[in-house]
Amino acid sequence: MTEPVLTINGLSKSFGAVVACDQVSLTIRPGEIHALIGPNGAGKSTLIKQISGALRQDTGQILIGDQEVSALNIVDRARAGLARSFQVSSVVPDFTALQNTMLAVQGREGMSFRFLKPVLKNQDLVEKARACLTRVGLAGRAEVPAAKLSHGERRNLEIAMALALNPKVFLLDEPMAGMGAEGSKALTALLAELKAHTPILLVEHDMDAVFTLADRISVLFYGRIITTGTVDEVRRNPDVIEAYLGGDSP
Amino acid sequence: MIKEFWLNAACVALLLAVVLAGAIFDEPYYITLATKVTILAMAGVGLNLALGYGGLISFGHAAFFGIGGYAAGILASHALNYEPLATWPIEIGGTTQMLVIWPVAAIVSAVFAAVIGAFSLRTSGVYFIMITLAFAQMIYYFAISWPSYGGEDGLSVYLRSEFPGLNTMNGASFFAICFVWLMAVVWGSSRMVNAGFGLALQATKQNAERVEAVGIAPFRIRLTAFIISGAITGVAGALYVDLNRFVSPSMLSWHTSGEIMVFVILGGVARLFGPLVGAALFIVLEQSLGGITENWQFWLGAILIVVVLFGRGGAIGLLAKEVRHD
């Protein structure tokens, strides 16, 4: 068994009487895409916020590799090797695609306290940023301000920025949302290629993409992980069928 | 529409032409006005770094302008009166050397900016505006009630401080010093804005969440920008005291904060030469309309409204092309 890249151990979070996250444990192993699914309100967002550092857990631990990051803030977790994309695209609107990616390269290299050298003339950094844009198919759009990119292009730009961080693990929050059939297909192919190098925790509503990509799936229901397994195991699991089709959840 | 570069060059040429005309026709008042514009523009360049590029709407930059001013005034008055600043544990005298006064003004302003920034930057939006204003007002009232240095009446410095090899009492020489300072801080800002720091600062202004996610701490970026911004405005304050040979609490008042903001907004937010254009327009209006009516600021207000509504980011935005993304 290889060491997991991301380990979540007994994570719990309550808001008053509401238990949004109940003893959640999961691991991301090298080379895998681990999908996290669950009906609306299952606690996916709460879990993601805790992993990224936006929300502090009540109990439990989070490890990136063998480094405990439970007490670190967002910035330090990013520096520890966690790259995320946002559910609603989050880029710097007035920056070009290239400048956005440069920002990520700069964050990784820790070069934000350079005051004199024009950063966009640093060929080494620009090359790295362009390489990331090329991988997501945005090479030809490098000089376009992010605000003028299409929705799908902005999603890809977020992936490029995550790539530029050269992280240990990706945390992708609904990357397919609003992508359109063509875009989803291209992104699916890209993620399948990426996972060999960097494993992915994928939160996604697009079940076609999840079933195509995921090596393992965890199903979250009312803050609990009700099962973790391969695509076939999860599809056949009666609890999952109940959670998705039964009673009170859409 | 013209390129911003040529517009900037024209503004600088115009400023120099005024000084030249003043020298040729022996009208020292023109030179004084041009020097005033230059110094106020420099204060604006400082604020522009925080407000324009960092989106930190500081309504308290008078604090740094005044602190730099008092630093200069206190050092010079002690030297001129032959009173040491401190006698224990070692004797420290005042000085009239600009080369000493400037670093002192810059460092003292930077220290205050670090303290004020460390508190204020925990807030944002309207709270940030209010807390920076509150800090500046605290310092203002402190100065008023500090009798050793003139209190409400301020402090006169009867000789301009010295610069090696120049007669600073000569208007044109003093203008030259201020002009070199302005060009230096504009050049420095331009380098900073295009460097890694500037990229992070401008990104923080637009989307701090994204900046955090790539492993850059927005607070550290903002605080650094705020400190540099305060230091630049502080040195401008020191020069302003030398221009007037007088420092008073009014340099610290919220009117001054507002005026520095007006220079930036009138000229162009996040434009390198915006503060110069803004300060020049302000002084020209003050001189021309001020001669006709006491209420010239009514017209300043009207012009400000027009510029804000129709100029994309100030007067430069009205005339120049869109900022390049290079």
Side-chain angles (χ1 to χ4, degrees), chain B residues 19-52:
Chain B
V19 176
L20 198 64
I24 291 171
F25 300 112
D26 197 24
E27 291 276 5
Y29 187 59
Y30 286 155
I31 301 179
T32 305
L33 278 186
T35 312
K36 192 172 173 187
V37 167
T38 308
I39 295 170
L40 295 178
M42 185 177 158
V45 171
L47 177 63
N48 202 18
L49 205 57
L51 187 152

Side-chain angles (χ1 to χ4, degrees), chain A residues 209-228:
Chain A
V210 168
F211 290 143
T212 313
L213 282 169
D215 298 290
R216 289 192 296 158
I217 299 176
S218 288
V219 183
L220 201 62
F221 190 55
Y222 284 118
R224 264 174 190 285
I225 289 191
I226 54 175
T227 185
T228 296

Side-chain angles (χ1 to χ4, degrees), chain A residues 99-208:
Chain A
Q99 284 173 314
N100 269 286
T101 318
M102 288 292 290
L103 184 71
V105 174
Q106 185 181 308
R108 181 175 94 80
E109 310 263 336
M111 290 179 59
S112 298
F113 284 91
R114 304 241 170 143
F115 294 91
L116 292 177
K117 290 222 174 86
V119 66
L120 292 166
K121 295 212 170 89
N122 186 328
Q123 286 311 323
D124 184 39
L125 296 194
V126 172
E127 284 304 312
K128 283 179 186 162
R130 284 195 189 277
C132 297
L133 287 173
T134 306
R135 284 194 77 177
V136 300
L138 283 177
R141 306 282 280 164
E143 310 303 333
V144 180
K148 293 197 175 131
L149 293 174
S150 74
H151 178 79
E153 286 172 328
R154 270 205 295 277
R155 303 246 72 155
N156 278 320
L157 176 56
E158 275 208 297
I159 305 285
M161 292 175 79
L163 277 171
L165 290 174
N166 198 10
K168 295 200 178 94
V169 58
F170 287 119
L171 172 57
L172 304 183
D173 193 357
E174 296 191 26
M176 310 285 176
M179 273 291 247
E182 277 298 302
S184 297
K185 235 171 104 183
L187 188 56
T188 304
L190 177 65
L191 296 185
E193 182 194 316
L194 283 181
K195 69 172 186 180
H197 186 253
T198 312
I200 301 170
L201 176 59
L202 178 70
V203 179
E204 187 53 67
H205 270 306
D206 180 342
M207 286 303 156
D208 285 342

Side-chain angles (χ1 to χ4, degrees), chain B residues 2 12 51 60 64 66 98 100 111 191 204 223 255 269 304 324:
Chain B
I2 41 178
V12 173
L51 187 152
F64 311 124
M98 288 185 182
V100 178
V111 168
R191 294 304 294 243
T204 303
L223 184 60
H255 298 94
V269 172
L304 193 60
R324 280 180 309 141

Side-chain angles (χ1 to χ4, degrees), chain B residues 38 42 56 60 71 76 93 101 104 108 110 152 190 196 221 237 239-240 267 277 284 293 303-304 309:
Chain B
T38 308
M42 185 177 158
L56 307 170
I101 288 175
V104 171
V108 176
E152 208 164 352
S190 127
I221 297 285
L239 292 170
Y240 197 65
V277 174
V284 166
T293 164
I303 289 169
L304 193 60
L309 285 181

Side-chain angles (χ1 to χ4, degrees), chain B residues 276-302:
Chain B
L276 175 59
V277 174
L281 280 174
F282 187 93
I283 298 297
V284 166
L285 286 173
E286 184 186 53
Q287 293 300 317
S288 53
L289 293 174
I292 303 166
T293 164
E294 235 174 75
N295 303 317
W296 67 275
Q297 287 185 335
F298 172 83
W299 299 105
L300 173 71

Side-chain angles (χ1 to χ4, degrees), chain A residues 90-91 94 106 116 120 158, chain B residues 191 196 206-207 210 325-326:
Chain A
S90 177
V91 293
D94 287 355
Q106 185 181 308
L116 292 177
L120 292 166
E158 275 208 297
Chain B
R191 294 304 294 243
Q206 296 181 53
N207 188 345
R210 175 33 89 187
H325 286 281
D326 58 0

